[in-house]
Amino acid sequence: MKNNYYNEIKNKLIDNEVYKKVKDYSKNRNDLSTYYEVGKLLIKAQGGEGRAKYGDNLIKEYYERLFNDTGRKYNITALKRIRQFYLVVEKGVPLAHQLTWSHYTEILSLSNINEINYSINITEEYNLSVRELRERLKKKNIKYY
C-alpha cells in the first residue's frame, strides 16, 4: 500500500519536472522569437540596416516610451542588443532554441561571425550554462574553424 503512494508521489513530481522543462523551453522559444521580431521592427523603424547605426535616438525614444507605457525596463542597451540579435540571425547565425536570451547576450559580445557560430555550437554541444559560457569567453577559449 505504501508503495502505491510512493509511486503516485514520484510520478506527480516527475510529471511536474517535465512540465517545468517544457514550459521553460516554450517560454525561451517565445522570448527568442519575440526579440527577433522586435529587432526586425527596430531596423525597419530606423530605415533599414544601413541606417540602424544612426538610429540610437530612435532607440532612446522607444526606451522612454516603453518605460512609460509598460513600466518594464527595456533599457537602451537591451534594445540595441535586440537589434543586434536580429541582424546576426539574418546573417545566417542559427536560432538555437535551447540557448536562452542570456546565452545570446554573452555571445553577441563577439564581433566575428565565425566566433559567434562556434560559440553557439559549443554551447549546444556541451550544454553550457550561461556562467560556463561566460568563463569560456573570458578566457578567449574560442578556437573556430
Side-chain angles (χ1 to χ4, degrees), residues 42-85:
L42 285 170
I43 294 295
K44 284 183 177 182
Q46 293 172 327
E49 182 181 344
R51 300 192 59 202
K53 296 174 199 161
Y54 307 106
D56 289 347
N57 287 338
L58 185 65
I59 284 193
K60 184 179 181 208
E61 176 192 331
Y62 283 6
Y63 152 70
E64 290 168 356
R65 290 174 65 186
L66 283 167
F67 184 77
N68 289 332
D69 291 344
T70 67
R72 296 283 316 257
K73 267 197 149 179
Y74 292 105
N75 63 26
I76 293 168
T77 303
L79 291 174
K80 285 181 180 180
R81 202 164 267 142
I82 289 170
R83 177 181 66 190
Q84 181 187 12
F85 175 67

Short mmCIF file of all heavy atoms in Angstrom, two decimals, residues 42-85:
data_model
loop_
_atom_site.label_atom_id
_atom_site.label_comp_id
_atom_site.label_asym_id
_atom_site.label_seq_id
_atom_site.Cartn_x
_atom_site.Cartn_y
_atom_site.Cartn_z
N LEU A 42 12.67 47.24 -35.16
CA LEU A 42 13.59 48.35 -34.87
C LEU A 42 14.37 48.75 -36.13
O LEU A 42 14.52 49.94 -36.42
CB LEU A 42 14.56 47.98 -33.75
CG LEU A 42 14.00 47.97 -32.33
CD1 LEU A 42 15.00 47.35 -31.36
CD2 LEU A 42 13.63 49.38 -31.89
N ILE A 43 14.85 47.75 -36.85
CA ILE A 43 15.59 48.02 -38.08
C ILE A 43 14.69 48.74 -39.10
O ILE A 43 15.09 49.73 -39.71
CB ILE A 43 16.17 46.72 -38.69
CG1 ILE A 43 17.23 46.12 -37.79
CG2 ILE A 43 16.70 46.95 -40.10
CD1 ILE A 43 18.47 46.97 -37.61
N LYS A 44 13.46 48.25 -39.25
CA LYS A 44 12.53 48.89 -40.17
C LYS A 44 12.22 50.32 -39.74
O LYS A 44 12.18 51.23 -40.58
CB LYS A 44 11.22 48.09 -40.26
CG LYS A 44 11.33 46.84 -41.08
CD LYS A 44 9.98 46.15 -41.17
CE LYS A 44 10.05 44.93 -42.07
NZ LYS A 44 8.74 44.28 -42.19
N ALA A 45 12.00 50.53 -38.45
CA ALA A 45 11.69 51.87 -37.94
C ALA A 45 12.85 52.84 -38.16
O ALA A 45 12.64 54.04 -38.34
CB ALA A 45 11.34 51.80 -36.45
N GLN A 46 14.06 52.29 -38.19
CA GLN A 46 15.24 53.13 -38.37
C GLN A 46 15.59 53.32 -39.84
O GLN A 46 16.57 53.97 -40.16
CB GLN A 46 16.43 52.53 -37.62
CG GLN A 46 16.23 52.57 -36.12
CD GLN A 46 17.31 51.81 -35.38
OE1 GLN A 46 17.83 50.81 -35.83
NE2 GLN A 46 17.64 52.31 -34.20
N GLY A 47 14.83 52.74 -40.72
CA GLY A 47 15.07 52.94 -42.14
C GLY A 47 15.98 51.91 -42.78
O GLY A 47 16.55 52.14 -43.82
N GLY A 48 16.16 50.76 -42.14
CA GLY A 48 16.96 49.69 -42.72
C GLY A 48 18.29 49.51 -42.00
O GLY A 48 18.70 50.33 -41.19
N GLU A 49 18.94 48.38 -42.32
CA GLU A 49 20.19 48.02 -41.65
C GLU A 49 21.27 49.07 -41.82
O GLU A 49 22.01 49.37 -40.90
CB GLU A 49 20.69 46.67 -42.17
CG GLU A 49 21.95 46.20 -41.48
CD GLU A 49 22.45 44.87 -42.02
OE1 GLU A 49 21.67 44.15 -42.69
OE2 GLU A 49 23.60 44.56 -41.75
N GLY A 50 21.39 49.63 -43.01
CA GLY A 50 22.44 50.61 -43.27
C GLY A 50 22.32 51.85 -42.39
O GLY A 50 23.32 52.48 -42.06
N ARG A 51 21.11 52.16 -41.99
CA ARG A 51 20.90 53.34 -41.15
C ARG A 51 20.73 52.98 -39.69
O ARG A 51 20.61 53.87 -38.85
CB ARG A 51 19.66 54.09 -41.64
CG ARG A 51 19.83 54.53 -43.10
CD ARG A 51 18.79 55.50 -43.51
NE ARG A 51 18.86 56.67 -42.65
CZ ARG A 51 17.87 57.51 -42.46
NH1 ARG A 51 16.73 57.33 -43.07
NH2 ARG A 51 17.99 58.55 -41.67
N ALA A 52 20.74 51.71 -39.36
CA ALA A 52 20.48 51.27 -37.98
C ALA A 52 21.49 51.86 -37.00
O ALA A 52 21.14 52.19 -35.88
CB ALA A 52 20.48 49.75 -37.89
N LYS A 53 22.72 51.99 -37.43
CA LYS A 53 23.76 52.53 -36.55
C LYS A 53 23.42 53.94 -36.11
O LYS A 53 23.81 54.40 -35.06
CB LYS A 53 25.11 52.53 -37.26
CG LYS A 53 25.62 51.16 -37.60
CD LYS A 53 26.88 51.27 -38.43
CE LYS A 53 27.13 49.97 -39.15
NZ LYS A 53 28.04 50.11 -40.26
N TYR A 54 22.71 54.65 -36.98
CA TYR A 54 22.38 56.04 -36.70
C TYR A 54 21.04 56.18 -36.00
O TYR A 54 20.58 57.29 -35.80
CB TYR A 54 22.40 56.84 -38.01
CG TYR A 54 23.69 56.65 -38.75
CD1 TYR A 54 23.77 55.88 -39.90
CD2 TYR A 54 24.87 57.22 -38.27
CE1 TYR A 54 24.96 55.68 -40.57
CE2 TYR A 54 26.07 57.03 -38.93
CZ TYR A 54 26.11 56.26 -40.08
OH TYR A 54 27.30 56.06 -40.73
N GLY A 55 20.44 55.08 -35.65
CA GLY A 55 19.11 55.11 -35.06
C GLY A 55 19.08 55.13 -33.55
O GLY A 55 18.06 54.83 -32.94
N ASP A 56 20.21 55.50 -32.93
CA ASP A 56 20.25 55.47 -31.47
C ASP A 56 19.26 56.45 -30.83
O ASP A 56 18.75 56.19 -29.75
CB ASP A 56 21.66 55.72 -30.96
CG ASP A 56 22.58 54.54 -31.23
OD1 ASP A 56 22.06 53.45 -31.58
OD2 ASP A 56 23.80 54.69 -31.11
N ASN A 57 18.98 57.56 -31.52
CA ASN A 57 17.99 58.50 -30.98
C ASN A 57 16.61 57.85 -30.94
O ASN A 57 15.86 58.05 -29.98
CB ASN A 57 17.94 59.78 -31.81
CG ASN A 57 19.16 60.64 -31.58
OD1 ASN A 57 19.83 60.53 -30.54
ND2 ASN A 57 19.46 61.50 -32.54
N LEU A 58 16.30 57.09 -31.98
CA LEU A 58 15.02 56.40 -32.01
C LEU A 58 14.95 55.35 -30.90
O LEU A 58 13.93 55.21 -30.23
CB LEU A 58 14.80 55.74 -33.37
CG LEU A 58 13.44 55.08 -33.57
CD1 LEU A 58 12.33 56.12 -33.56
CD2 LEU A 58 13.41 54.30 -34.86
N ILE A 59 16.04 54.63 -30.68
CA ILE A 59 16.07 53.63 -29.60
C ILE A 59 15.87 54.32 -28.26
O ILE A 59 15.14 53.82 -27.41
CB ILE A 59 17.36 52.80 -29.67
CG1 ILE A 59 17.22 51.80 -30.82
CG2 ILE A 59 17.64 52.10 -28.35
CD1 ILE A 59 18.23 50.70 -30.86
N LYS A 60 16.50 55.45 -28.06
CA LYS A 60 16.33 56.18 -26.80
C LYS A 60 14.87 56.60 -26.63
O LYS A 60 14.30 56.46 -25.55
CB LYS A 60 17.24 57.41 -26.77
CG LYS A 60 17.17 58.16 -25.48
CD LYS A 60 18.10 59.35 -25.44
CE LYS A 60 17.97 60.00 -24.09
NZ LYS A 60 18.26 61.41 -24.12
N GLU A 61 14.27 57.07 -27.71
CA GLU A 61 12.87 57.48 -27.65
C GLU A 61 11.98 56.27 -27.32
O GLU A 61 11.08 56.35 -26.48
CB GLU A 61 12.44 58.08 -28.99
CG GLU A 61 10.96 58.43 -29.05
CD GLU A 61 10.48 58.75 -30.46
OE1 GLU A 61 11.28 59.23 -31.28
OE2 GLU A 61 9.29 58.49 -30.72
N TYR A 62 12.23 55.13 -27.99
CA TYR A 62 11.44 53.94 -27.74
C TYR A 62 11.63 53.44 -26.32
O TYR A 62 10.68 52.98 -25.68
CB TYR A 62 11.78 52.83 -28.74
CG TYR A 62 11.17 53.02 -30.11
CD1 TYR A 62 10.47 54.16 -30.46
CD2 TYR A 62 11.29 52.03 -31.05
CE1 TYR A 62 9.91 54.32 -31.71
CE2 TYR A 62 10.73 52.17 -32.32
CZ TYR A 62 10.05 53.33 -32.63
OH TYR A 62 9.50 53.47 -33.87
N TYR A 63 12.84 53.51 -25.81
CA TYR A 63 13.10 53.11 -24.42
C TYR A 63 12.24 53.93 -23.48
O TYR A 63 11.58 53.38 -22.60
CB TYR A 63 14.59 53.28 -24.09
CG TYR A 63 14.84 53.54 -22.63
CD1 TYR A 63 14.64 52.54 -21.68
CD2 TYR A 63 15.23 54.79 -22.19
CE1 TYR A 63 14.84 52.78 -20.34
CE2 TYR A 63 15.43 55.04 -20.85
CZ TYR A 63 15.23 54.04 -19.92
OH TYR A 63 15.42 54.28 -18.59
N GLU A 64 12.25 55.24 -23.66
CA GLU A 64 11.48 56.11 -22.76
C GLU A 64 9.99 55.82 -22.86
O GLU A 64 9.29 55.75 -21.85
CB GLU A 64 11.78 57.58 -23.09
CG GLU A 64 13.19 57.98 -22.71
CD GLU A 64 13.62 59.33 -23.27
OE1 GLU A 64 12.85 59.95 -24.06
OE2 GLU A 64 14.74 59.76 -22.93
N ARG A 65 9.51 55.63 -24.08
CA ARG A 65 8.09 55.37 -24.27
C ARG A 65 7.71 54.00 -23.70
O ARG A 65 6.66 53.85 -23.06
CB ARG A 65 7.73 55.46 -25.74
CG ARG A 65 7.78 56.90 -26.25
CD ARG A 65 7.56 57.01 -27.73
NE ARG A 65 6.21 56.59 -28.11
CZ ARG A 65 5.81 56.49 -29.37
NH1 ARG A 65 6.62 56.76 -30.36
NH2 ARG A 65 4.58 56.10 -29.64
N LEU A 66 8.53 53.00 -23.93
CA LEU A 66 8.25 51.67 -23.39
C LEU A 66 8.22 51.70 -21.87
O LEU A 66 7.37 51.08 -21.24
CB LEU A 66 9.29 50.65 -23.86
CG LEU A 66 9.13 50.16 -25.28
CD1 LEU A 66 10.38 49.41 -25.73
CD2 LEU A 66 7.90 49.27 -25.41
N PHE A 67 9.17 52.42 -21.29
CA PHE A 67 9.22 52.51 -19.83
C PHE A 67 7.96 53.19 -19.30
O PHE A 67 7.35 52.72 -18.34
CB PHE A 67 10.47 53.26 -19.37
CG PHE A 67 10.60 53.30 -17.88
CD1 PHE A 67 11.03 52.17 -17.19
CD2 PHE A 67 10.27 54.43 -17.16
CE1 PHE A 67 11.14 52.18 -15.82
CE2 PHE A 67 10.37 54.44 -15.78
CZ PHE A 67 10.81 53.32 -15.11
N ASN A 68 7.54 54.27 -19.94
CA ASN A 68 6.33 54.98 -19.50
C ASN A 68 5.07 54.15 -19.71
O ASN A 68 4.17 54.17 -18.88
CB ASN A 68 6.19 56.32 -20.23
CG ASN A 68 7.23 57.32 -19.77
OD1 ASN A 68 7.71 57.28 -18.65
ND2 ASN A 68 7.59 58.23 -20.66
N ASP A 69 5.00 53.44 -20.84
CA ASP A 69 3.79 52.69 -21.17
C ASP A 69 3.68 51.35 -20.47
O ASP A 69 2.58 50.89 -20.15
CB ASP A 69 3.69 52.45 -22.68
CG ASP A 69 3.44 53.73 -23.45
OD1 ASP A 69 3.04 54.75 -22.84
OD2 ASP A 69 3.63 53.72 -24.68
N THR A 70 4.81 50.68 -20.26
CA THR A 70 4.75 49.33 -19.70
C THR A 70 5.36 49.21 -18.31
O THR A 70 5.11 48.23 -17.62
CB THR A 70 5.49 48.32 -20.61
OG1 THR A 70 6.87 48.62 -20.61
CG2 THR A 70 4.94 48.35 -22.03
N GLY A 71 6.20 50.17 -17.95
CA GLY A 71 6.89 50.07 -16.67
C GLY A 71 8.03 49.08 -16.69
O GLY A 71 8.77 48.93 -15.73
N ARG A 72 8.18 48.39 -17.81
CA ARG A 72 9.26 47.41 -17.95
C ARG A 72 10.53 48.13 -18.36
O ARG A 72 10.48 49.10 -19.08
CB ARG A 72 8.91 46.36 -19.02
CG ARG A 72 7.73 45.49 -18.70
CD ARG A 72 8.00 44.38 -17.70
NE ARG A 72 9.24 43.66 -17.90
CZ ARG A 72 9.36 42.46 -18.45
NH1 ARG A 72 8.29 41.83 -18.86
NH2 ARG A 72 10.52 41.89 -18.57
N LYS A 73 11.61 47.60 -17.91
CA LYS A 73 12.88 48.23 -18.22
C LYS A 73 13.56 47.56 -19.40
O LYS A 73 14.43 46.72 -19.24
CB LYS A 73 13.81 48.18 -17.01
CG LYS A 73 13.72 49.38 -16.14
CD LYS A 73 14.92 49.44 -15.24
CE LYS A 73 15.27 50.87 -14.96
NZ LYS A 73 16.40 50.99 -14.10
N TYR A 74 13.12 47.91 -20.58
CA TYR A 74 13.86 47.54 -21.78
C TYR A 74 14.77 48.74 -22.06
O TYR A 74 14.40 49.64 -22.79
CB TYR A 74 12.91 47.28 -22.96
CG TYR A 74 12.07 46.05 -22.75
CD1 TYR A 74 10.73 46.14 -22.41
CD2 TYR A 74 12.64 44.79 -22.86
CE1 TYR A 74 9.97 45.00 -22.22
CE2 TYR A 74 11.88 43.64 -22.67
CZ TYR A 74 10.55 43.77 -22.34
OH TYR A 74 9.80 42.65 -22.14
N ASN A 75 15.92 48.73 -21.39
CA ASN A 75 16.79 49.89 -21.48
C ASN A 75 17.43 50.00 -22.86
O ASN A 75 17.26 49.14 -23.72
CB ASN A 75 17.84 49.88 -20.37
CG ASN A 75 18.78 48.69 -20.45
OD1 ASN A 75 19.01 48.14 -21.52
ND2 ASN A 75 19.33 48.31 -19.32
N ILE A 76 18.16 51.06 -23.06
CA ILE A 76 18.77 51.35 -24.35
C ILE A 76 19.70 50.21 -24.77
O ILE A 76 19.67 49.75 -25.92
CB ILE A 76 19.50 52.70 -24.31
CG1 ILE A 76 18.47 53.83 -24.16
CG2 ILE A 76 20.36 52.90 -25.55
CD1 ILE A 76 19.06 55.18 -23.83
N THR A 77 20.50 49.72 -23.84
CA THR A 77 21.42 48.62 -24.14
C THR A 77 20.65 47.38 -24.56
O THR A 77 21.03 46.71 -25.52
CB THR A 77 22.31 48.31 -22.91
OG1 THR A 77 23.01 49.50 -22.55
CG2 THR A 77 23.28 47.20 -23.20
N ALA A 78 19.57 47.07 -23.87
CA ALA A 78 18.77 45.88 -24.21
C ALA A 78 18.17 46.03 -25.61
O ALA A 78 18.18 45.07 -26.39
CB ALA A 78 17.67 45.67 -23.17
N LEU A 79 17.65 47.20 -25.93
CA LEU A 79 17.06 47.40 -27.26
C LEU A 79 18.13 47.32 -28.35
O LEU A 79 17.89 46.76 -29.43
CB LEU A 79 16.32 48.74 -27.32
CG LEU A 79 15.04 48.80 -26.48
CD1 LEU A 79 14.46 50.21 -26.51
CD2 LEU A 79 14.02 47.78 -26.96
N LYS A 80 19.32 47.84 -28.08
CA LYS A 80 20.41 47.72 -29.06
C LYS A 80 20.81 46.26 -29.24
O LYS A 80 21.09 45.81 -30.35
CB LYS A 80 21.63 48.54 -28.60
CG LYS A 80 21.47 50.02 -28.78
CD LYS A 80 22.73 50.73 -28.32
CE LYS A 80 22.62 52.22 -28.49
NZ LYS A 80 23.85 52.91 -28.05
N ARG A 81 20.81 45.51 -28.14
CA ARG A 81 21.17 44.09 -28.21
C ARG A 81 20.12 43.31 -28.99
O ARG A 81 20.44 42.41 -29.76
CB ARG A 81 21.33 43.54 -26.80
CG ARG A 81 22.19 42.30 -26.79
CD ARG A 81 22.68 41.96 -25.43
NE ARG A 81 23.98 42.55 -25.22
CZ ARG A 81 24.39 43.07 -24.08
NH1 ARG A 81 23.61 43.06 -23.04
NH2 ARG A 81 25.58 43.59 -23.95
N ILE A 82 18.86 43.66 -28.80
CA ILE A 82 17.78 43.02 -29.55
C ILE A 82 17.94 43.31 -31.03
O ILE A 82 17.79 42.41 -31.88
CB ILE A 82 16.40 43.47 -29.01
CG1 ILE A 82 16.16 42.86 -27.62
CG2 ILE A 82 15.28 43.12 -29.97
CD1 ILE A 82 14.95 43.42 -26.89
N ARG A 83 18.27 44.53 -31.35
CA ARG A 83 18.52 44.91 -32.76
C ARG A 83 19.70 44.11 -33.32
O ARG A 83 19.63 43.56 -34.41
CB ARG A 83 18.79 46.41 -32.84
CG ARG A 83 19.13 46.91 -34.23
CD ARG A 83 19.41 48.38 -34.26
NE ARG A 83 20.61 48.69 -33.50
CZ ARG A 83 21.01 49.91 -33.19
NH1 ARG A 83 20.30 50.95 -33.55
NH2 ARG A 83 22.11 50.11 -32.50
N GLN A 84 20.77 44.02 -32.54
CA GLN A 84 21.95 43.26 -32.97
C GLN A 84 21.61 41.78 -33.15
O GLN A 84 22.08 41.14 -34.08
CB GLN A 84 23.07 43.43 -31.93
CG GLN A 84 24.34 42.71 -32.30
CD GLN A 84 25.37 42.76 -31.18
OE1 GLN A 84 25.07 43.14 -30.05
NE2 GLN A 84 26.58 42.35 -31.49
N PHE A 85 20.79 41.24 -32.26
CA PHE A 85 20.37 39.84 -32.34
C PHE A 85 19.69 39.58 -33.69
O PHE A 85 20.01 38.61 -34.38
CB PHE A 85 19.42 39.53 -31.18
CG PHE A 85 18.81 38.16 -31.20
CD1 PHE A 85 19.59 37.04 -31.02
CD2 PHE A 85 17.45 38.01 -31.38
CE1 PHE A 85 19.02 35.76 -31.02
CE2 PHE A 85 16.87 36.75 -31.38
CZ PHE A 85 17.66 35.63 -31.20
#
